[in-house]
Amino acid sequence: MTFSLEAVFEAHRGELQVHCYRMLGSYDEAEELVQETFLRAWKARETFENRSSVRAWLYRIATNACIDVRRPPRVLPYQLEPASFPAEALPAREDVPWLQPFPSTPEQPDAAAIRRETIELAFLIAIQHLPARQRAVLIFRDVLGWPARETAAAVGLSVPAVNSALQRARPVLRDHLPSHRLDWSTHTPSQVEHQLLRKYMTAWDNADPTALAALMHEDIRITMPPYPFWFSGRADALRSLTPNLNPTYRGHWHFHPTTINHQPTLAAYLKPPGAPTHHLFALDVFRIDTGLIAELTAFETTNTTRYGLPDSVA
Protein backbone atom coordinates (compact mmCIF):
# COMPACT_ATOMS: atom_id res chain seq x y z
CA MET A 1 0.00 0.00 0.00
CA THR A 2 1.30 3.46 -0.89
CA PHE A 3 -1.18 5.46 1.23
CA SER A 4 -1.31 6.15 4.95
CA LEU A 5 -3.42 3.45 6.57
CA GLU A 6 -3.84 5.55 9.68
CA ALA A 7 -5.36 8.42 7.69
CA VAL A 8 -7.64 6.02 5.80
CA PHE A 9 -8.79 4.38 9.01
CA GLU A 10 -9.66 7.73 10.60
CA ALA A 11 -11.49 8.89 7.49
CA HIS A 12 -13.87 5.92 7.78
CA ARG A 13 -14.11 5.67 11.59
CA GLY A 14 -17.45 7.46 11.91
CA GLU A 15 -19.38 5.47 9.32
CA LEU A 16 -17.85 2.18 10.48
CA GLN A 17 -18.96 2.95 14.04
CA VAL A 18 -22.51 3.58 12.80
CA HIS A 19 -22.37 0.34 10.82
CA CYS A 20 -21.19 -1.69 13.82
CA TYR A 21 -23.83 -0.01 15.98
CA ARG A 22 -26.57 -1.03 13.54
CA MET A 23 -25.24 -4.56 13.55
CA LEU A 24 -24.98 -4.86 17.34
CA GLY A 25 -27.24 -2.24 18.95
CA SER A 26 -24.43 -1.31 21.35
CA TYR A 27 -22.39 1.90 21.38
CA ASP A 28 -19.69 0.30 23.54
CA GLU A 29 -19.34 -2.74 21.30
CA ALA A 30 -19.38 -0.57 18.18
CA GLU A 31 -16.36 1.34 19.48
CA GLU A 32 -14.57 -1.91 20.31
CA LEU A 33 -15.40 -3.48 16.95
CA VAL A 34 -14.10 -0.49 14.99
CA GLN A 35 -10.79 -0.86 16.81
CA GLU A 36 -10.88 -4.60 16.10
CA THR A 37 -11.55 -3.80 12.44
CA PHE A 38 -8.52 -1.55 12.24
CA LEU A 39 -6.37 -4.17 13.96
CA ARG A 40 -7.51 -6.90 11.56
CA ALA A 41 -7.00 -4.59 8.59
CA TRP A 42 -3.48 -3.70 9.71
CA LYS A 43 -2.56 -7.36 10.11
CA ALA A 44 -4.02 -8.17 6.68
CA ARG A 45 -2.68 -5.08 4.89
CA GLU A 46 -0.37 -7.10 2.63
CA THR A 47 -3.33 -9.08 1.30
CA PHE A 48 -5.18 -5.99 0.06
CA GLU A 49 -4.65 -5.96 -3.70
CA ASN A 50 -6.94 -3.11 -4.79
CA ARG A 51 -9.59 -5.52 -6.08
CA SER A 52 -12.09 -3.39 -4.14
CA SER A 53 -12.07 0.05 -2.57
CA VAL A 54 -10.47 0.49 0.83
CA ARG A 55 -13.92 1.46 2.15
CA ALA A 56 -15.48 -1.81 0.95
CA TRP A 57 -12.52 -3.74 2.38
CA LEU A 58 -12.96 -2.12 5.80
CA TYR A 59 -16.72 -2.69 5.76
CA ARG A 60 -16.15 -6.36 4.98
CA ILE A 61 -13.74 -6.72 7.89
CA ALA A 62 -16.06 -4.82 10.24
CA THR A 63 -19.06 -6.90 9.22
CA ASN A 64 -17.26 -10.18 9.83
CA ALA A 65 -16.03 -8.89 13.20
CA CYS A 66 -19.64 -8.11 14.15
CA ILE A 67 -20.88 -11.51 12.95
CA ASP A 68 -18.24 -13.12 15.16
CA VAL A 69 -19.86 -11.56 18.27
CA ARG A 70 -21.71 -14.30 20.17
CA ARG A 71 -24.38 -13.04 22.55
CA PRO A 72 -28.18 -12.67 22.63
CA PRO A 73 -29.68 -9.76 20.66
CA ARG A 74 -30.00 -6.36 22.29
CA VAL A 75 -33.45 -5.70 23.74
CA LEU A 76 -35.71 -3.15 25.42
CA PRO A 77 -38.00 -3.96 28.39
CA TYR A 78 -41.18 -4.52 26.39
CA GLN A 79 -39.56 -7.52 24.73
CA LEU A 80 -39.03 -9.28 28.07
CA GLU A 81 -42.40 -9.25 29.82
CA PRO A 82 -45.94 -7.82 29.59
CA ALA A 83 -46.65 -4.23 30.58
CA SER A 84 -47.30 -3.85 34.31
CA PHE A 85 -47.39 -1.39 37.16
CA PRO A 86 -45.43 -3.16 39.91
CA ALA A 87 -46.40 -2.47 43.52
CA GLU A 88 -42.73 -1.81 44.21
CA ALA A 89 -40.05 -0.70 41.81
CA LEU A 90 -38.11 -3.70 40.53
CA PRO A 91 -34.30 -3.60 40.62
CA ALA A 92 -32.26 -2.95 37.50
CA ARG A 93 -31.28 -6.03 35.52
CA GLU A 94 -27.61 -6.09 34.64
CA ASP A 95 -27.80 -9.59 33.14
CA VAL A 96 -29.67 -8.36 30.05
CA PRO A 97 -27.97 -7.11 26.87
CA TRP A 98 -29.86 -3.80 26.68
CA LEU A 99 -30.02 -1.75 23.52
CA GLN A 100 -27.80 1.30 24.01
CA PRO A 101 -28.42 4.88 22.85
CA PHE A 102 -26.18 6.38 20.21
CA PRO A 103 -25.07 10.04 20.45
CA SER A 104 -25.93 12.37 17.58
CA THR A 105 -22.97 14.65 16.93
CA PRO A 106 -21.95 17.05 14.12
CA GLU A 107 -18.89 14.89 13.41
CA GLN A 108 -20.93 11.90 12.27
CA PRO A 109 -21.31 11.06 8.58
CA ASP A 110 -24.58 12.02 6.97
CA ALA A 111 -26.59 10.95 3.90
CA ALA A 112 -27.18 7.20 3.59
CA ALA A 113 -24.62 6.37 6.25
CA ILE A 114 -26.77 7.85 9.02
CA ARG A 115 -30.28 8.56 7.74
CA ARG A 116 -32.50 9.14 10.72
CA GLU A 117 -34.91 6.29 10.08
CA THR A 118 -32.03 3.77 10.01
CA ILE A 119 -30.52 4.81 13.34
CA GLU A 120 -33.71 5.21 15.37
CA LEU A 121 -34.44 2.88 18.27
CA ALA A 122 -37.41 1.26 16.52
CA PHE A 123 -35.26 0.31 13.54
CA LEU A 124 -32.44 -0.96 15.76
CA ILE A 125 -34.82 -3.20 17.70
CA ALA A 126 -36.48 -4.45 14.51
CA ILE A 127 -33.25 -5.56 12.84
CA GLN A 128 -32.15 -7.31 16.03
CA HIS A 129 -34.79 -9.90 15.14
CA LEU A 130 -32.71 -10.92 12.11
CA PRO A 131 -29.80 -13.38 12.14
CA ALA A 132 -26.52 -11.51 11.95
CA ARG A 133 -25.76 -12.27 8.30
CA GLN A 134 -29.31 -11.38 7.20
CA ARG A 135 -29.00 -8.18 9.21
CA ALA A 136 -25.79 -7.33 7.38
CA VAL A 137 -27.37 -8.02 3.99
CA LEU A 138 -30.33 -5.77 4.75
CA ILE A 139 -28.05 -2.97 5.96
CA PHE A 140 -25.84 -3.15 2.88
CA ARG A 141 -28.68 -3.43 0.38
CA ASP A 142 -31.48 -1.28 1.84
CA VAL A 143 -29.60 1.18 4.06
CA LEU A 144 -26.28 1.75 2.30
CA GLY A 145 -27.56 0.94 -1.19
CA TRP A 146 -24.77 -1.45 -2.12
CA PRO A 147 -25.24 -3.66 -5.22
CA ALA A 148 -25.86 -7.36 -4.64
CA ARG A 149 -22.39 -8.30 -5.90
CA GLU A 150 -20.56 -5.98 -3.50
CA THR A 151 -22.82 -7.10 -0.66
CA ALA A 152 -22.05 -10.72 -1.44
CA ALA A 153 -18.32 -10.02 -1.24
CA ALA A 154 -18.75 -8.19 2.07
CA VAL A 155 -20.76 -10.91 3.84
CA GLY A 156 -19.20 -13.99 2.23
CA LEU A 157 -22.27 -15.19 0.33
CA SER A 158 -23.16 -15.76 -3.30
CA VAL A 159 -25.31 -13.20 -5.12
CA PRO A 160 -28.35 -15.56 -5.16
CA ALA A 161 -27.88 -16.15 -1.42
CA VAL A 162 -27.79 -12.39 -0.81
CA ASN A 163 -31.00 -11.90 -2.78
CA SER A 164 -32.66 -14.73 -0.85
CA ALA A 165 -31.50 -13.34 2.50
CA LEU A 166 -32.89 -9.92 1.63
CA GLN A 167 -36.27 -11.39 0.63
CA ARG A 168 -36.48 -13.16 4.00
CA ALA A 169 -35.30 -10.12 5.99
CA ARG A 170 -37.69 -7.48 4.65
CA PRO A 171 -40.95 -9.04 5.92
CA VAL A 172 -39.43 -9.57 9.37
CA LEU A 173 -38.40 -5.93 9.47
CA ARG A 174 -41.88 -4.75 8.46
CA ASP A 175 -43.49 -6.94 11.12
CA HIS A 176 -41.46 -5.31 13.89
CA LEU A 177 -41.56 -1.65 12.83
CA PRO A 178 -44.22 0.84 14.02
CA SER A 179 -47.11 1.09 11.58
CA HIS A 180 -46.54 4.81 10.89
CA ARG A 181 -42.76 4.65 10.58
CA LEU A 182 -42.68 6.31 7.16
CA ASP A 183 -44.46 9.33 8.62
CA TRP A 184 -41.49 10.18 10.83
CA SER A 185 -38.52 9.20 8.65
CA THR A 186 -37.04 12.70 8.38
CA HIS A 187 -33.35 13.48 8.70
CA THR A 188 -33.60 15.58 11.85
CA PRO A 189 -36.26 16.27 14.46
CA SER A 190 -38.93 18.47 12.87
CA GLN A 191 -40.27 21.81 14.05
CA VAL A 192 -43.44 20.05 15.19
CA GLU A 193 -41.36 17.71 17.36
CA HIS A 194 -39.38 20.60 18.86
CA GLN A 195 -42.62 22.38 19.69
CA LEU A 196 -43.99 19.27 21.37
CA LEU A 197 -40.86 18.97 23.54
CA ARG A 198 -41.25 22.61 24.59
CA LYS A 199 -44.84 21.89 25.63
CA TYR A 200 -43.63 18.81 27.50
CA MET A 201 -41.05 20.85 29.43
CA THR A 202 -43.63 23.52 30.21
CA ALA A 203 -46.00 20.87 31.58
CA TRP A 204 -43.22 19.67 33.91
CA ASP A 205 -42.37 23.22 34.98
CA ASN A 206 -46.05 23.79 35.78
CA ALA A 207 -46.47 20.37 37.43
CA ASP A 208 -49.46 19.88 35.14
CA PRO A 209 -50.41 16.21 34.53
CA THR A 210 -53.38 17.24 32.37
CA ALA A 211 -51.06 19.08 30.00
CA LEU A 212 -48.77 16.04 29.91
CA ALA A 213 -51.70 13.79 29.07
CA ALA A 214 -52.67 16.02 26.14
CA LEU A 215 -49.27 15.35 24.54
CA MET A 216 -49.54 11.54 24.65
CA HIS A 217 -51.01 8.91 22.40
CA GLU A 218 -53.63 6.83 24.15
CA ASP A 219 -51.39 3.76 23.75
CA ILE A 220 -48.08 5.46 24.64
CA ARG A 221 -45.29 3.13 25.75
CA ILE A 222 -42.73 4.09 28.41
CA THR A 223 -39.61 2.02 29.05
CA MET A 224 -36.69 2.68 31.39
CA PRO A 225 -33.78 0.32 30.73
CA PRO A 226 -32.08 -1.21 32.72
CA TYR A 227 -35.36 -1.68 34.63
CA PRO A 228 -37.41 -4.57 33.21
CA PHE A 229 -40.94 -3.26 33.85
CA TRP A 230 -42.64 -0.90 31.42
CA PHE A 231 -45.88 1.03 31.05
CA SER A 232 -48.44 0.92 28.28
CA GLY A 233 -51.25 3.44 27.85
CA ARG A 234 -51.80 7.03 28.89
CA ALA A 235 -53.28 6.18 32.31
CA ASP A 236 -50.29 4.14 33.52
CA ALA A 237 -47.85 6.57 31.88
CA LEU A 238 -49.33 9.42 33.91
CA ARG A 239 -49.45 7.26 37.01
CA SER A 240 -45.70 6.67 36.70
CA LEU A 241 -44.74 10.26 35.84
CA THR A 242 -47.07 12.32 38.05
CA PRO A 243 -45.26 11.70 41.39
CA ASN A 244 -42.08 13.11 39.83
CA LEU A 245 -43.82 16.42 39.20
CA ASN A 246 -43.70 17.05 42.96
CA PRO A 247 -40.23 18.35 43.98
CA THR A 248 -40.59 16.79 47.43
CA TYR A 249 -40.83 13.30 45.88
CA ARG A 250 -37.38 13.01 44.30
CA GLY A 251 -36.29 16.57 43.74
CA HIS A 252 -36.44 19.18 41.00
CA TRP A 253 -36.02 18.33 37.32
CA HIS A 254 -34.40 20.34 34.54
CA PHE A 255 -34.59 19.28 30.89
CA HIS A 256 -32.00 20.05 28.24
CA PRO A 257 -33.09 19.45 24.58
CA THR A 258 -30.73 17.35 22.48
CA THR A 259 -30.86 14.48 19.99
CA ILE A 260 -30.03 10.81 20.51
CA ASN A 261 -30.25 8.27 17.69
CA HIS A 262 -31.37 11.29 15.62
CA GLN A 263 -34.58 11.38 17.65
CA PRO A 264 -35.87 14.30 19.72
CA THR A 265 -34.47 13.87 23.22
CA LEU A 266 -34.50 15.58 26.57
CA ALA A 267 -31.50 15.15 28.85
CA ALA A 268 -33.11 14.94 32.29
CA TYR A 269 -31.13 16.55 35.11
CA LEU A 270 -32.18 15.92 38.71
CA LYS A 271 -31.50 18.07 41.78
CA PRO A 272 -32.42 16.01 44.85
CA PRO A 273 -33.86 17.87 47.85
CA GLY A 274 -31.10 19.89 49.51
CA ALA A 275 -28.61 19.46 46.62
CA PRO A 276 -27.05 22.61 45.10
CA THR A 277 -27.14 21.60 41.42
CA HIS A 278 -28.83 19.34 38.89
CA HIS A 279 -26.87 16.34 37.59
CA LEU A 280 -27.60 14.22 34.53
CA PHE A 281 -29.91 11.35 35.42
CA ALA A 282 -31.38 10.03 32.15
CA LEU A 283 -31.81 10.54 28.43
CA ASP A 284 -35.51 10.67 27.52
CA VAL A 285 -35.70 9.64 23.86
CA PHE A 286 -39.04 10.34 22.17
CA ARG A 287 -40.80 8.71 19.24
CA ILE A 288 -43.42 11.14 18.05
CA ASP A 289 -46.20 9.94 15.77
CA THR A 290 -48.85 12.21 14.24
CA GLY A 291 -47.91 15.03 16.58
CA LEU A 292 -48.16 13.07 19.84
CA ILE A 293 -45.73 11.07 21.97
CA ALA A 294 -46.00 7.42 20.94
CA GLU A 295 -43.01 6.17 22.90
CA LEU A 296 -40.63 7.42 25.56
CA THR A 297 -37.45 5.48 26.28
CA ALA A 298 -35.59 6.76 29.34
CA PHE A 299 -31.98 5.56 29.38
CA GLU A 300 -30.49 6.01 32.82
CA THR A 301 -26.99 7.45 32.44
CA THR A 302 -24.45 9.78 34.01
CA ASN A 303 -22.11 9.82 31.00
CA THR A 304 -22.04 13.45 29.90
CA THR A 305 -18.90 13.32 27.76
CA ARG A 306 -20.25 10.74 25.33
CA TYR A 307 -23.37 12.78 24.64
CA GLY A 308 -21.79 16.23 24.56
CA LEU A 309 -23.81 17.43 27.54
CA PRO A 310 -22.88 19.64 30.50
CA ASP A 311 -21.94 17.84 33.70
CA SER A 312 -24.43 19.83 35.74
CA VAL A 313 -26.82 22.75 35.52
CA ALA A 314 -27.84 25.26 38.16
Side-chain angles (χ1 to χ4, degrees), residues 137 141 148-149 157-168 170:
V137 168
R141 298 287 284 120
R149 188 174 299 278
L157 295 173
S158 66
V159 170
V162 161
N163 292 334
S164 176
L166 186 60
Q167 289 175 357
R168 295 194 304 273
R170 283 171 173 166

Side-chain angles (χ1 to χ4, degrees), residues 21 27 76 99-105 121 197 200 221-227 241 253-270 279-287 295-311:
Y21 176 70
Y27 180 90
L76 286 176
L99 183 75
Q100 292 183 334
F102 194 88
S104 303
T105 67
L121 300 178
L197 289 196
Y200 184 90
R221 179 167 62 201
I222 296 183
T223 61
M224 299 174 290
Y227 301 96
L241 294 177
W253 295 90
H254 172 84
F255 295 99
H256 178 86
T258 185
T259 56
I260 296 295
N261 287 76
H262 280 222
Q263 293 179 241
T265 300
L266 293 177
Y269 287 78
L270 177 62
H279 289 277
L280 183 62
F281 180 81
L283 298 169
D284 295 345
V285 184
F286 293 79
R287 179 168 68 83
E295 189 165 1
L296 171 58
T297 307
F299 292 98
E300 191 173 273
T301 183
T302 57
N303 190 328
T304 57
T305 303
R306 174 179 296 179
Y307 302 103
L309 294 167
D311 292 329

Side-chain angles (χ1 to χ4, degrees), residues 17-26 30 100 102 119 124 261:
Q17 188 173 11
V18 172
H19 178 63
C20 292
Y21 176 70
R22 286 197 186 104
M23 285 290 296
L24 300 172
S26 166
Q100 292 183 334
F102 194 88
I119 200 71
L124 269 294
N261 287 76

Side-chain angles (χ1 to χ4, degrees), residues 124-156:
L124 269 294
I125 283 295
I127 62 174
Q128 290 288 302
H129 289 274
L130 299 172
R133 210 170 292 274
Q134 271 190 35
R135 194 182 315 147
V137 168
L138 184 133
I139 291 169
F140 279 122
R141 298 287 284 120
D142 285 357
V143 175
L144 298 176
W146 284 30
R149 188 174 299 278
E150 290 185 24
T151 300
V155 298

